[in-house]
Amino acid sequence: MTRKGKRLTLIIGALAVLGVAAGLVLFALRDNIVFFYTPSELTQKQVAPGARLRIGGLVKEGSVVKSGKDVTFAVTDRTKDLDVAYTGLLPDLFREGQGVVVDGVLQADGRFKADSVLAKHDERYMPKDVADKLKAQGVWQGEKK
C-alpha cells in the first residue's frame, strides 16, 4: 500500500471512530438534552425521585405562599401542576401568571425542591421552549401589540 493509501485509511478510520463516539455520547444524553420539562411531560416520563432537572411553565394564579425566605408555588402548563418549594430571594419579575424555569430536584413526595428560579425577562419575553409548548397546547397566544 502506498503512503497516500495508508494516510487515507488512517483518516477514514479516525473519522469513523469519532462518529461512533459522538453517536454514543448523544445516545447517552438523549433525555438530558431537553432544556426543561413541563409538568405534563414530567408526569408522562415518570422521573424517579432524586433526579436533577429543570421544570418550565407558568406560575399558577393563587399558588404563591411566602414565609420569610421560604416560598412555595405551583408551576403549571394548564394541564398539570407541580408544587415547588424554594428557599431564597426570588427574581424581581417573579409573579403569578408569568413564565418561569426552575432548576432543582424532584422529591419522593412529588414536590419539586428548587435551587434556582428564573423569571421572565420583561412583559413581552417568554422562553421560546415554554412559548412553543404552550402554543402547541393552545394555551398561549403570544404577545399582544
Side-chain angles (χ1 to χ4, degrees):
M1 188 180 275
T2 66
R3 262 178 110 179
K4 198 174 194 180
K6 288 180 182 178
R7 190 177 309 146
L8 184 61
T9 303
L10 181 64
I11 290 172
I12 290 173
L15 289 175
V17 168
L18 185 61
V20 168
L24 288 173
V25 167
L26 290 175
F27 180 75
L29 296 175
R30 69 187 177 279
D31 288 337
N32 296 328
I33 291 176
V34 177
F35 180 67
F36 65 85
Y37 296 102
T38 64
S40 296
E41 291 172 338
L42 193 63
T43 303
Q44 292 170 357
K45 200 164 184 47
Q46 297 180 352
V47 177
R52 283 201 66 73
L53 27 107
R54 287 187 176 129
I55 305 299
L58 301 173
V59 178
K60 186 175 181 180
E61 297 285 339
S63 69
V64 178
V65 177
K66 294 180 182 181
S67 175
K69 284 190 174 184
D70 295 332
V71 181
T72 59
F73 58 94
V75 174
T76 184
D77 58 7
R78 306 261 170 99
T79 304
K80 294 275 186 190
D81 300 340
L82 179 66
D83 291 329
V84 177
Y86 177 69
T87 300
L89 297 174
L90 290 169
D92 291 337
L93 298 174
F94 178 88
R95 60 186 179 270
E96 296 176 352
Q98 299 299 317
V100 293
V101 175
V102 293
D103 189 14
V105 178
L106 186 64
Q107 303 292 311
D109 62 0
R111 298 182 77 194
F112 192 79
K113 177 66 177 158
D115 299 328
S116 66
V117 176
L118 305 172
K120 87 182 236 184
H121 173 256
D122 68 16
E123 69 276 358
R124 293 181 310 272
Y125 174 77
M126 174 157 308
K128 182 175 178 355
D129 292 341
V130 174
D132 290 345
K133 289 176 183 176
L134 290 174
K135 285 177 188 175
Q137 295 172 358
V139 175
W140 192 65
Q141 303 301 319
E143 304 135 12
K144 303 217 184 319
K145 295 187 179 189

